[in-house]
Amino acid sequence: MATKLKNNIVSAFKMHGLTLRSEASRYIVEVLAPVAENDRGQWLDRIIEIIQKQSLSSAMIGKEICESAVQECNNEQNDDSDSIFNVIDAFSVPRFTYVRERKKFIPDSNLDKAAPSLHGPPSDKGTMFRDRYTVLHQRTLRNKLFTPPAIGSTDAESNTFQLKPVEYLVGSTSKLGNVLVLGMLVQLKEGKWYLEDPTGHVQLDFTQAKFQSGLFTENSFVLAEGWYEDGIFYVEAFGLPPPEASETTRSYFGNINFFGGPSPIQVKASNRLSQIEAENTDAMFVLISDVWLDNSRVMEKLNVLFKGYSEFPPTAFICCGNFLSSAKVLSHSKTLTDCFRDLGNMLSNYPQIVASSQMIFVPGPNDPGHSTILPRPNIPNSITEAFRKKVPNAIFTSNPCRIQYCTQEIVIFREDIVTKLCRNCVKFPSDGNVPLHFAKSIISQAHLCPLPLHVCPVYWAYDSSLRLYPLPDVIVTADRYDPFTTKTVSSTVINPGSFLRTDFGFKVYYPASRQVQDSQVMEEADRMLNSSSILQNSDTTTPPTRESSFSISQLMPVS
């Protein structure tokens, strides 16, 4: 019996191009022997699928790899609620480096790299930009526009481009035409623009260049097409690096956990989490930005908001700073402490929200912290202690932070990044569709903040925490810019806008349907006009499935 099972296991692995070592085959026999014969095939297929997604250095499979795959299968079968909702701090994001020779992302711990430091050596700055370039370069080369034609194909069948490094231009002694280069826009001298990559830099002349859609700023990576002569690269067209769907990225790099989180399982492949996500149609995330706790009108509307959701609490309230309307230099911390205490007292009136909803607080640029450099740490515990006693489920996290809900990955970023990108554009888009240009820019750059360091400083060693690779499902950029929702590639980009400045508007995200709803806390006069309706849904969103979601009519979706 054991011999037959062993032969079936070895044959199944061989069909997938894998060879089991003797100790590995014995281990899998021990694992599958107690399993019912009808279920063995399903378990064996799942184990092989998990092993194939790992970064294998050889087709010979040892016992350790099999043990890891079996453990992952067991984890998928366990109803572990911790894997459903996780908040990942920016300083806990896994760090990987792309090794070009091996064409793989390798954990920094395996490359004997030093532990990251907030104030590291100058070499960290160069490493930061090289890593940004390497991620985009390997991604661009995989794009179908840059994939070399297959051997034997005709010229008509292969409409591809070939990237050239900067050193190819600099090392040329004659005029070069129709050249395409991937590099970073920089100003090495005042008023003069250059294109830089790891091989060198070249001066640009883009007075006649055409810009594709996107926001092109200093320190952003671009595809420049043009001709080179006498030390100057005359650019005819600028474009952004082509984006890549998250499914495509994962198909190349297997089960590497780029996103982070306490669970080692590959949540995207979890059937259990997919089922929970699809069945929980009542799940929702309420997104609010600029929650000024020292403003009486904001506190009044927050009370209305919590009262409206008190009977059917959402999965999470995601509140982004700033949490004070202005920076009080001398009494900032004391004022914020008192404001959070008042907020805790308000929430204590709604025990169902306190018990059922996750309260997540992301600091803004003016909130107390070590500095204004990204990523920003969470608000100090000394300020939030009284609030956390009232609301034990509250999570004060970093800016940016990451949320894993079932199989979905959500990035929360509180920064006026839309405004800064527009202000620092080399050339502002003529059509004025800022949300679409912004979404294309950060997704193409695979980075939340493709700006010069003097405009938006970043801790060099923690730049990977701002990386958008692979693309998450949802990107929330809480900005003072007008609220918007746009979709690009496989990501939804949301800006809830400033709570007070948008007449108390906010966004609601439904993960089951992946829809976003514009909502607003209505004024009393508007409430009376809409008194016949408890909840109205806009035509562009999927309505909630729960009945009588609100006990009052002051929370209204914006049509």
Side-chain angles (χ1 to χ4, degrees):
M1 185 71 172
T3 303
K4 181 181 178 182
L5 177 58
K6 181 179 179 180
N7 292 336
N8 291 337
I9 292 171
V10 173
S11 298
F13 272 81
K14 284 185 177 180
M15 289 179 62
H16 292 83
L18 302 174
T19 303
L20 280 176
R21 296 185 184 275
S22 57
E23 69 274 10
S25 60
R26 287 195 297 269
Y27 170 74
I28 297 183
V29 168
E30 294 174 1
V31 170
L32 296 182
V35 179
E37 188 171 353
N38 294 335
D39 297 332
R40 287 174 183 170
Q42 183 179 357
W43 272 85
L44 183 58
D45 290 342
R46 183 61 187 139
I47 291 172
I48 294 174
E49 181 182 350
I50 293 173
I51 290 176
Q52 286 180 317
K53 290 181 178 180
Q54 297 183 12
S55 300
L56 301 175
S57 58
S58 170
M60 294 291 295
I61 307 302
K63 183 179 177 181
E64 292 183 357
I65 296 177
C66 294
E67 288 177 341
S68 175
V70 171
Q71 181 62 39
E72 184 168 330
C73 287
N74 290 331
N75 289 338
E76 290 179 357
Q77 298 301 315
N78 295 330
D79 188 12
D80 182 7
S81 60
D82 290 340
S83 64
I84 295 176
F85 189 94
N86 295 310
V87 179
I88 299 105
D89 187 276
F91 298 94
S92 304
V93 173
R95 295 162 52 85
F96 292 90
T97 298
Y98 184 78
V99 180
R100 188 172 301 178
E101 294 76 16
R102 300 174 63 178
K103 295 185 178 181
K104 290 183 180 180
F105 281 94
I106 307 298
D108 285 4
S109 58
N110 294 351
L111 296 175
D112 297 328
K113 287 193 174 183
S117 172
L118 288 182
H119 306 288
S123 59
D124 284 352
K125 183 178 181 181
T127 301
M128 174 185 70
F129 287 116
R130 279 194 300 272
D131 287 346
R132 287 193 198 179
Y133 172 84
T134 305
V135 168
L136 296 179
H137 186 259
Q138 59 87 24
R139 189 187 73 183
T140 302
L141 291 178
R142 280 202 308 273
N143 189 275
K144 62 181 180 180
L145 295 176
F146 298 89
T147 304
I151 298 176
S153 63
T154 63
D155 293 337
E157 295 174 344
S158 57
N159 185 19
T160 61
F161 301 92
Q162 186 175 4
L163 284 180
K164 297 292 185 181
V166 170
E167 66 178 357
Y168 174 78
L169 304 178
V170 178
S172 176
T173 57
S174 60
K175 179 178 177 180
L176 296 175
N178 197 25
V179 181
L180 190 61
V181 182
L182 173 66
M184 183 173 67
L185 279 176
V186 293
Q187 286 194 79
L188 299 182
K189 297 180 181 179
E190 186 175 357
K192 293 185 178 181
W193 289 92
Y194 292 79
L195 193 67
E196 185 177 15
D197 72 0
T199 66
H201 61 269
V202 62
Q203 187 175 341
L204 298 178
D205 183 334
F206 52 80
T207 54
Q208 304 298 323
K210 295 180 180 180
F211 289 79
Q212 295 181 358
S213 58
L215 302 175
F216 297 81
T217 65
E218 184 179 358
N219 280 25
S220 63
F221 288 89
V222 299
L223 285 170
E225 184 179 12
W227 50 280
Y228 177 78
E229 186 178 15
D230 296 335
I232 297 179
F233 187 30
Y234 296 88
V235 181
E236 297 176 342
F238 274 123
L240 293 172
E244 183 178 77
S246 58
E247 295 81 5
T248 304
T249 304
R250 291 189 175 89
S251 67
Y252 281 97
F253 300 112
N255 66 341
I256 296 179
N257 186 7
F258 291 99
F259 197 74
S263 176
I265 66 173
Q266 183 66 20
V267 295
K268 290 288 183 181
S270 173
N271 295 327
R272 180 181 67 86
L273 293 178
S274 298
Q275 183 179 1
I276 292 174
E277 179 185 309
E279 293 178 351
N280 190 11
T281 55
D282 288 346
M284 64 171 71
F285 297 118
V286 177
L287 309 172
I288 318 174
S289 181
D290 274 354
V291 185
W292 294 344
L293 301 179
D294 60 338
N295 186 291
S296 59
R297 294 188 66 203
V298 170
M299 293 296 285
E300 176 188 345
K301 299 303 178 182
L302 284 178
N303 191 43
V304 174
L305 181 74
F306 295 140
K307 186 176 181 181
Y309 282 111
S310 59
E311 293 185 9
F312 295 92
T315 305
F317 288 94
I318 301 176
C319 304
C320 300
N322 302 309
F323 293 107
L324 293 181
S325 56
S326 61
K328 298 173 175 60
V329 178
L330 297 179
S331 60
H332 196 140
S333 297
K334 183 180 184 304
T335 303
L336 192 57
T337 302
D338 296 338
C339 288
F340 270 115
R341 182 182 293 108
D342 294 340
L343 181 63
N345 293 333
M346 178 192 297
L347 282 168
S348 62
N349 297 324
Y350 308 105
Q352 283 187 280
I353 290 180
V354 173
S356 304
S357 296
Q358 293 281 355
M359 301 293 299
I360 301 172
F361 295 88
V362 180
N366 295 333
D367 288 322
H370 300 305
S371 68
T372 58
I373 306 175
L374 294 172
R376 287 178 56 85
N378 60 287
I379 297 175
N381 292 338
S382 58
I383 294 177
T384 62
E385 182 178 3
F387 177 84
R388 286 183 283 108
K389 289 180 179 179
K390 296 281 186 179
V391 188
N393 284 341
I395 299 175
F396 289 85
T397 185
S398 63
N399 178 26
C401 70
R402 302 180 176 193
I403 297 174
Q404 172 224 316
Y405 173 75
C406 291
T407 66
Q408 295 191 37
E409 296 175 346
I410 303 171
V411 173
I412 312 293
F413 185 39
R414 172 59 186 102
E415 182 63 54
D416 296 326
I417 189 65
V418 180
T419 306
K420 290 182 178 180
L421 280 174
C422 292
R423 187 180 300 152
N424 291 275
C425 265
V426 175
K427 183 179 180 181
F428 194 77
S430 57
D431 61 1
N433 190 351
V434 173
L436 182 60
H437 290 291
F438 167 74
K440 286 185 176 181
S441 298
I442 61 172
I443 287 174
S444 294
Q445 299 292 323
H447 200 274
L448 285 169
C449 191
L451 283 167
L453 295 180
H454 67 271
V455 175
C456 201
V458 174
Y459 286 114
W460 303 333
Y462 286 94
D463 183 70
S464 59
S465 64
L466 279 73
R467 193 177 294 169
L468 301 174
Y469 191 79
L471 283 177
D473 299 282
V474 180
I475 304 170
V476 179
T477 56
D479 191 286
R480 288 181 295 178
Y481 188 80
D482 296 338
F484 63 81
T485 301
T486 184
K487 293 185 178 181
T488 303
V489 194
S490 59
S491 291
T492 301
V493 182
I494 306 172
N495 177 36
S498 178
F499 188 55
L500 180 63
R501 292 172 179 170
T502 58
D503 292 330
F504 310 105
F506 58 97
K507 299 276 190 178
V508 181
Y509 176 66
Y510 297 93
S513 60
R514 299 182 182 244
Q515 297 292 327
V516 181
Q517 179 176 284
D518 296 331
S519 299
Q520 185 178 11
V521 182
M522 305 294 285
E523 297 288 351
E524 182 66 21
D526 296 327
R527 183 190 69 81
M528 297 301 294
L529 292 174
N530 294 280
S531 59
S532 60
S533 172
I534 293 177
L535 181 65
Q536 297 175 355
N537 296 285
S538 59
D539 295 334
T540 58
T541 58
T542 300
T545 57
R546 59 166 65 102
E547 297 180 358
S548 301
S549 297
F550 297 96
S551 59
I552 56 177
S553 60
Q554 286 181 273
L555 291 175
M556 304 291 294
V558 179
S559 59

